[in-house]
Every structure is written in C-alpha cells, then in structure tokens.
Amino acid sequence: MATGQNSDDDTALGRLFARERIGGDARWFSLPGGATLYSPGEPSDELYFLSAGRLGVFRPDESGERSFLGVIRPGEPAGEMAMVAGTPHSGNVVALRDSELLALTREDFFAAADADPQVMNELARLMILRTRQAATQTSIGEPKVFGFVAADRGGAIRPLVMKIARAIAEQGSSVEVIGSEAANAPTEWYSNLEAEYDHVLYVAEAGETLWKGIVGRQVDRLFRIGRGDRPPPPLLETHAADALQQHRLVDLILLQPGDCARPSGSEAWLDATGAARLFHLRRDNLADVQRIARVLTGRSVGLVLSGGGARAYAHIGAVKALRAAGIPLDFVGGASMGAIVAASVAMGWDDAEIDRRIRKAFVESSPLDDIAFPILAMTHGVKVKERLTEHFSETEIADLWLPFFCVSSNLTSGTVQVHRRGKLSRALRASIALPGVMPPMTEEGSVLVDGAVLKNYPADIMRSIQLGPVVGVDVSRGRSINAEEMHRPRHWLSWILSGEWRKGPPIVALLMRAATVSTARDLAAARQATDLLIMPSVDGIDIRDWKAFDPGVAAGEIATREALAKLTRPVTELRKAALPG
C-alpha cells in the first residue's frame, strides 16, 4: 500500500482511470460515509479507484467482530486481488467519510491495461505488497488523520494535543495540529494538508460544536478526551461519523491527576462513549504522552504472554528484561497464568512488586492444594480466588493503567471469550480455570474455563486491538510430560510427607498440559501476528512446580536478552520494518 496520498495522475493506475473516465468506460460514483463498498462473498467484477475520501478495510475475526486492518487513501485502488483472480471478495471495505470512486469492469480494465504495460507492473507490485501484508497481518495503509474532541468542559485540550504532536515529531514524522480556525476551509484544503504531512491532528474544544461535527467526519480515527476524576456528562453527543461509530474507530482518553494512584469510575465513561479503547493519561506525564504518540504512529508495543502453569514464571523474567532494555509496554494481554503476569504489568507494578506479589500468591504455598472430592474439579478453587482478590482487589479492567485483555474458553458457545471490561479478578479467575483442576466460572449463562484450552497464545487478538509491533512470550512449546512421569506414586505416605502432594497427582500435569497444547495451525496463525517471539527454555520446569520461581524467571530473562540482541532495529520499529518496500 502506498504510504502517502496521490493525485489521480501520479501513477499508471491513476492515469488509466483518468483516461477511461474521459473516454466513458469508467463509472464515477459517490459513497456516503458509513456505506459499504463490498462485503465478503460478494462478486468481484469491478476494480475500484479512490479519487477522494477515505475507505476502511475490515476483516471478520473469530467472534464475528470486524477487525480494522487499515485505510485506503485517494490515489489507491480497492478490490484488485479478487478482481484479477476472479474470486469473491474476502473482506469488508467501508467509506470512513464521504468518498468519490471510479469503477472499471474486469473486461474494460484488462482491455485498457493492454495499451500500457506499466499498469500491470504497478498492479502486480501492489498485489504482492498487499498479499505480504495479509500474510504477516501488517496494517493495510495505516491511519494518519486523527481527531481529538473534548468530551466535557474540563479545560482546553489543544495544549495536550500539541504535546502529542511534539512526541510524534521526535519519532521522525511530520505532523500538523489544526483547530477550529479551519472550520470554513474547502474540501480541497483538507486533502492537500493531509497529503503534505505524515500525520494530521484535528482538535475541537468543548464549546466548538460545529467544528466537532466536521472533525468527526474528516478523520480516520477519533479520540474523545474527558476528565477521569469526574463522572461523564449526562448528555454526551458522539460527534463521530456513523462509519467511525459503527466500526469501533472511536477511542477514549481520560486525563488523570498527576498524583493519581489508581483510576476509578472508568466503566461509566466507557458506557457513556461506547469507546473501543481506553487510555489513561496523567497530567504532565511525558511517558503517557509518548505512549499516545506511539499508538498514532503504529509504534506502540503490545505484549502477549501465553499460558503454561508454573512455567509462566518465565514471563516475569521477560518483563524485567524488556523494561531493562527500555522497551515500552503499551498494551498487555495473555491467557491463563500469562494473563496474571500481564495484569500485574497493567496494574503499574514495578519489577520488585511483581516479584513480591507472585511469590506470595503462588510460591509460598501451592495454589492448588485445597483438594476437593472431584465432582466439578480436583480443587475447590477457593485459594486461587482469595489470592486474586487479595492482590487485584475490586479493580475494574477499565481502571488499569494499560489497555489489557485476557482470554477464557466459553464451553457454552465453543468460542474464545475476550475479557476487556468488568472486574479484573473475575476475568483472571475464568482465564486460569483449568478444566478438571479448578471449577469453571459462570457468567451470563455461559461456562468459562481456562483460556489456554482454545487460545493459549492470543497474539492475533493483540494484533486486532493495535497496529504496532507485537512482542510475544510463549512457554507452551517445551517438552512437558514424559511417559515415565505418568505413574502412581509408589508409596502414598512418603508422597504426602514429602510435600509433593501439594503439586497435585500426576493427573494434574496431564490436565494442565492437555489444556495448553495448541495445534500447529493455530500456533502458526498466532505467530504470524508476532513481530518478536521469545521462547524461554523451560524444559526442566515441571508445569506444576510452583516452587520453581527463580529458575523460571531466569529462563525468561536469558531468552529475552538473547532475542533482543539479535534485532537490527528498535522494537518499536519492527512493524514498520514488516512493511515491504
């Protein structure tokens, strides 16, 4: 995908469509913002060329939701691969704002292209590029035009947007901030401005109602800014174009006091705004401003941690090594025990606090020794619940400092359940509910068990949430169970006296390993969404050995340092490097 905006005659394709429009074969039409150009399964008998406006590219994910892949800008075609192959469309393309397009039938296009070999060369390069982007799940044309709209009368927001712009400029991108002074500018002025800069940030203050509406129709993605220390206003207009609202391209930034220990009341803001993502930004905190800048430029880092029982201690070492190397962690998520470590990062705990809390919760006494008569599971799950409550209290996911998700497996629907809202301790309890080992969770009539059952390494979910590089730590692929381990203890009394019973009988390892085995196909798909894959050497750690904290952490640190040493560019630039030239 082209990285900039082109006029119709800058490319061979553009010149072909201009000629065919004059000659009468190209069909011109307008597409209102929010309207669909084509959907999966529809016939691909035309090639489209965008003259003005913006198109969004979406792909259905496992849950049926549309995952945002990127944008098509003026001077770029749409539907070329399906049209050339003669196959139905595989994705959704929707007008993000009022757009103008040209269309040529397959027959007319090939007839016109015969006269200009450069057209097919250009189209072939584009198709190869987009195929590689699809294979690596790289964004197709990153958003570059963003809007910031004040959601309440909490003070001017332009100074904050200017700070974000300076952080973008420090990354080496050109950026311009535009306010209501442009409210009466013609359409061409906006197009020229957006073609001139890498990123354009439109900002609308609380009282600028008319300008808010213009901003909401002009941008690729909209951010609403509110005061996190106040409840949302009782009446909160969206100001977002229907396409942005319908396709969840509206985010929320909550400004928090500089001395805020923990946000609160954020769920109410999500209910009021329907935001797809929530970011907390402490006043005068440069690191938070830089995080937003990375999100806008596709340089935000998403950390994904797999399940793996006690082997997930390696995630703690990985986090330590990443932080020591200065790698920013902007989004976090995981499955099972990986979700607990990810939640610790999202809470804002430093290395020492993560170390202390995980040791207390899992090392000082086994979390799985409240043995139960196995009607639903081998343990009551009470100790795990108590420890989650002790360390994560009543915290809501929306009140975490970093955007966070974890996954559980919905046995009722047979689908992956993604937890991005609600009480954190309940989401984590569902994500670690190993079938047969701990009782399942129930939620709104559904039975939820360990996320590792259906998705032990949810890197593809992280990719659908943010466009920056994904760093993944996977501890599920080492040798886990040997045949000689699958035997009954010879002497039950000595087994109990030795304390080995606290790990649980060998069936626990069997159940835990069975729950964390991914198919080769699922694993390959997840790893395609990963830009830096870290695989600690944990073969020597029993999946049930909750005492193996120190070797697990050390394995994670060593593997992460080795993976970072092999890189030839900063982690924040890995997604940019994946864009073929």
Side-chain angles (χ1 to χ4, degrees):
M1 178 66 64
T3 57
Q5 202 168 8
N6 301 310
S7 64
D8 286 3
D9 57 357
D10 279 347
T11 63
L13 274 172
R15 291 190 294 272
L16 180 148
F17 272 91
R19 290 194 303 270
E20 293 304 310
R21 182 178 183 183
I22 295 173
D25 287 332
R27 175 174 62 92
W28 176 93
F29 65 100
S30 62
L31 197 66
T36 298
L37 179 62
Y38 55 76
S39 299
E42 291 184 356
S44 55
D45 50 7
E46 289 186 308
L47 176 66
Y48 303 101
F49 185 85
L50 183 64
S51 295
R54 215 50 137 237
L55 302 177
V57 184
F58 301 85
R59 179 172 53 205
D61 59 21
E62 293 179 0
S63 65
E65 294 284 331
R66 291 182 179 182
S67 177
F68 179 54
L69 300 183
V71 298
I72 295 175
R73 295 189 279 266
E76 299 174 351
E80 73 288 340
M81 283 187 282
M83 188 274 296
V84 171
T87 58
H89 292 294
S90 60
N92 294 87
V93 173
V94 178
L96 297 180
R97 63 181 80 157
D98 292 348
S99 301
E100 298 179 2
L101 297 99
L102 294 170
L104 273 174
T105 66
R106 180 184 293 107
E107 293 75 13
D108 287 339
F109 169 74
F110 283 121
D114 282 343
D116 187 352
Q118 190 176 354
V119 170
M120 292 308 298
N121 290 336
E122 187 176 281
L123 192 63
R125 287 196 299 270
L126 179 66
M127 291 172 62
I128 292 171
L129 170 57
R130 289 184 173 176
T131 299
R132 291 173 64 185
Q133 288 171 328
T136 59
Q137 299 189 35
T138 307
S139 60
I140 298 173
E142 294 185 0
K144 60 174 286 184
V145 183
F146 301 94
F148 295 85
V149 174
D152 60 5
R153 296 184 179 275
I157 65 171
R158 184 158 185 161
L160 170 62
V161 178
M162 292 297 296
K163 290 180 181 179
I164 295 171
R166 285 195 290 272
I168 291 174
E170 289 171 358
Q171 296 177 7
S173 298
S174 62
V175 58
E176 180 73 344
V177 177
I178 300 294
S180 58
E181 65 273 8
N184 296 318
T187 302
E188 294 78 10
W189 182 87
Y190 292 103
S191 297
N192 293 335
L193 179 75
E194 293 164 12
E196 183 178 354
Y197 292 93
D198 295 326
H199 301 280
V200 176
L201 313 183
Y202 295 108
V203 55
E205 304 290 357
E208 297 174 342
T209 304
L210 179 62
W211 174 237
K212 284 182 177 180
I214 296 173
V215 169
R217 296 191 303 271
Q218 188 65 29
V219 298
D220 300 332
R221 193 150 197 151
L222 186 69
F223 290 81
R224 306 176 76 179
I225 301 179
R227 286 278 299 271
D229 55 349
R230 297 178 181 178
L235 295 176
L236 198 56
E237 296 184 36
T238 63
H239 299 294
D242 289 343
L244 299 184
Q245 203 74 22
Q246 291 170 9
H247 298 288
R248 297 185 58 75
L249 297 176
V250 180
D251 297 322
L252 174 64
I253 295 175
L254 288 181
L255 300 178
Q256 305 291 350
D259 59 353
C260 177
R262 172 79 54 219
S264 63
S266 308
E267 284 274 351
W269 274 97
L270 286 175
D271 290 335
T273 60
R277 304 182 299 184
L278 167 61
F279 304 92
H280 294 287
L281 196 156
R282 286 158 288 198
R283 294 186 181 276
D284 300 321
N285 187 300
L286 179 59
D288 291 346
V289 171
Q290 291 172 334
R291 174 172 297 116
I292 300 299
R294 288 192 295 272
V295 170
L296 300 188
T297 60
R299 293 176 170 88
S300 56
V301 178
L303 176 66
V304 182
L305 307 177
S306 76
R311 293 178 166 188
Y313 290 149
H315 296 322
I316 299 171
V319 169
K320 287 183 177 181
L322 289 168
R323 285 174 166 174
I327 310 301
L329 303 178
D330 301 308
F331 296 78
V332 291
S336 196
M337 272 296 292
I340 290 179
V341 178
S344 302
V345 176
M347 289 284 289
W349 298 341
D350 61 18
D351 293 346
E353 187 165 10
I354 292 176
D355 188 296
R356 178 180 65 81
R357 289 181 180 271
I358 298 297
R359 283 182 184 274
K360 183 177 181 182
F362 293 95
V363 182
E364 292 179 5
S365 65
S366 171
L368 300 177
D369 62 6
D370 54 342
I371 305 299
F373 186 76
I375 296 177
L376 285 176
M378 294 184 59
T379 69
H380 292 287
V382 173
K383 291 187 69 173
V384 169
K385 180 180 178 181
E386 288 175 347
R387 292 174 186 188
L388 291 176
T389 302
E390 175 187 356
H391 294 283
F392 297 106
S393 188
E394 298 298 307
T395 302
E396 300 280 341
I397 293 176
D399 291 327
L400 295 172
W401 284 116
L402 295 180
F404 165 87
F405 76 87
C406 66
V407 296
S408 63
S409 300
N410 190 323
L411 296 186
T412 304
S413 64
T415 59
V416 175
Q417 187 99 355
V418 182
H419 301 268
R420 297 180 65 187
R421 293 188 59 175
K423 188 176 293 186
L424 176 61
S425 61
R426 281 188 59 83
L428 294 175
R429 173 64 179 79
S431 189
I432 62 172
L434 277 161
V437 178
M438 281 192 291
M441 286 282 290
T442 57
E443 185 175 281
E444 298 180 354
S446 293
V447 177
L448 307 179
V449 298
D450 197 297
V453 172
L454 292 180
K455 192 173 285 291
N456 190 40
Y457 178 58
D460 52 340
I461 294 175
M462 179 63 78
R463 167 61 52 230
S464 72
I465 293 172
Q466 62 103 32
L467 297 178
V470 172
V471 175
V473 187
D474 187 0
V475 297
S476 67
R477 302 306 292 176
R479 293 174 63 251
S480 295
I481 296 179
N482 298 321
E484 59 268 22
E485 296 173 342
M486 292 296 102
H487 61 79
R488 293 186 180 186
R490 292 182 179 179
H491 303 288
W492 287 97
L493 182 59
S494 62
W495 180 62
I496 292 173
L497 292 176
S498 69
E500 284 293 304
W501 71 275
R502 293 185 180 277
K503 293 182 182 179
I507 190 176
V508 172
L510 186 66
L511 291 170
M512 293 177 74
R513 183 54 180 156
T516 58
V517 172
S518 301
T519 66
R521 180 178 179 181
D522 288 343
L523 187 63
R527 290 182 176 176
Q528 280 184 341
T530 306
D531 299 285
L532 175 62
L533 178 62
I534 300 167
M535 298 182 65
S537 178
V538 290
D539 286 351
I541 299 175
D542 190 305
I543 201 168
R544 304 166 295 163
D545 189 0
W546 302 106
K547 299 294 185 183
F549 183 87
D550 291 321
V553 172
E557 285 192 86
I558 292 169
T560 303
R561 287 198 296 264
E562 291 177 350
L564 292 175
K566 295 176 182 178
L567 297 179
T568 58
R569 65 186 70 240
V571 170
T572 53
E573 299 294 326
L574 290 179
R575 207 65 191 170
K576 300 292 185 181
L579 289 168

